[in-house]
């Protein structure tokens, strides 16, 4: 899966990635493959998100949540909730999106905690409330033991929020 997504990121053909992920998921729908299928569905959801296919991303992320929820000790569950939140927000279902962000934060794994906060802030900042998004980034800044990569993730989240705020101010000025 990684090689496929890496090649796709270079080639830029998300449709091919989607088709291959769907084919892979179909092969993984057999006993003993639940973990692999769950991750494939999460990868498919993220691919569909990149394609702005909110209904497809919602379906794939919902499948990923269902599968990951049955497995013990998986940290990807919070990521699946964030993709669901994005899809729901994109479809105009903001209360449902916020509920999924709450679930993502509730199910976050310490090893990916800051990333979950940043992704949730991105969804809120894009579709709902920049103040809530900034609050999440602020909460993430309080997490102890952050690595440099985590600090970089938060810097990007803050820059995105600032850019959206500036764009909003420019639109209001017009």
């Amino acid at each position: 899966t990684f090689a496929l997504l890496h090649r796709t990121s270079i080639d830029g053909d998300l449709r091919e990635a989607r088709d291959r992920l769907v084919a892979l998921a179909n092969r993984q729908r057999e006993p003993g493959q639940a973990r692999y299928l769950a991750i494939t569905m999460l990868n498919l959801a993220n691919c569909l998100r990149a394609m702005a296919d909110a209904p497809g991303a919602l379906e794939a992320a919902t499948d990923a949540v269902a599968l990951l929820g049955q497995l013990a000790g998986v940290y990807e569950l919070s990521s699946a909730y964030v993709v669901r939140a994005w899809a729901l927000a994109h479809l105009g279902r903001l209360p449902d999106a916020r509920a999924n962000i709450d679930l993502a934060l509730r199910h976050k794994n310490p090893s990916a905690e800051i990333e979950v906060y940043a992704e949730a802030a991105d969804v809120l900042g894009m579709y709902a409330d920049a103040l809530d998004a900034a609050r999440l980034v602020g909460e993430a800044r309080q997490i102890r033991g952050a690595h440099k990569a985590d600090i970089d993730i938060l810097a990007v989240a803050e820059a995105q929020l600032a850019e959206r705020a500036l764009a909003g101010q420019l639109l209001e000025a017009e």
Side-chain angles (χ1 to χ4, degrees):
T1 303
F2 177 76
L4 162 70
L5 294 177
H6 182 265
R7 194 178 91 235
T8 300
S9 71
I10 294 169
D11 296 342
D13 189 353
L14 291 172
R15 290 174 308 212
E16 180 184 352
R18 176 203 56 211
D19 294 347
R20 288 180 181 238
L21 286 166
V22 167
L24 180 60
N26 289 334
R27 288 192 306 273
Q28 293 171 334
R29 292 185 192 278
E30 56 187 55
Q33 298 291 314
R35 170 100 173 120
Y36 300 110
L37 177 59
I39 301 306
T40 298
M41 295 309 295
L42 178 56
N43 288 335
L44 176 60
N46 277 305
C47 179
L48 293 168
R49 178 181 179 182
M51 296 174 73
D53 179 354
L58 179 58
E59 182 179 345
T62 299
D63 288 349
V65 164
L67 291 162
L68 291 165
Q70 296 173 11
L71 302 171
V74 293
Y75 65 87
E76 296 93 348
L77 181 58
S78 56
S79 294
Y81 279 122
V82 170
V83 178
R84 276 183 50 87
W86 170 82
L88 290 162
H90 196 74
L91 293 168
R93 296 170 51 188
L94 292 178
D96 293 332
R98 286 179 183 274
N100 275 267
I101 286 172
D102 291 344
L103 288 167
L105 294 172
R106 191 173 316 135
H107 292 283
K108 66 190 177 299
N109 183 293
S111 67
E113 189 172 22
I114 289 177
E115 187 175 346
V116 172
Y117 272 98
E119 289 179 5
D122 183 51
V123 171
L124 286 176
M126 194 179 314
Y127 293 98
D129 187 344
L131 292 177
D132 273 352
R135 177 186 54 77
L136 287 179
V137 172
E139 287 177 20
R141 285 246 176 243
Q142 302 306 311
I143 296 170
R144 300 285 178 225
H147 301 293
K148 180 173 178 350
D150 293 330
I151 294 167
D152 291 346
I153 287 169
L154 289 176
V156 169
E158 289 171 330
Q160 288 173 329
L161 288 173
E163 181 181 7
R164 288 186 187 116
L166 180 59
Q169 290 172 351
L170 292 176
L171 287 176
E172 289 174 9
E174 291 177 355

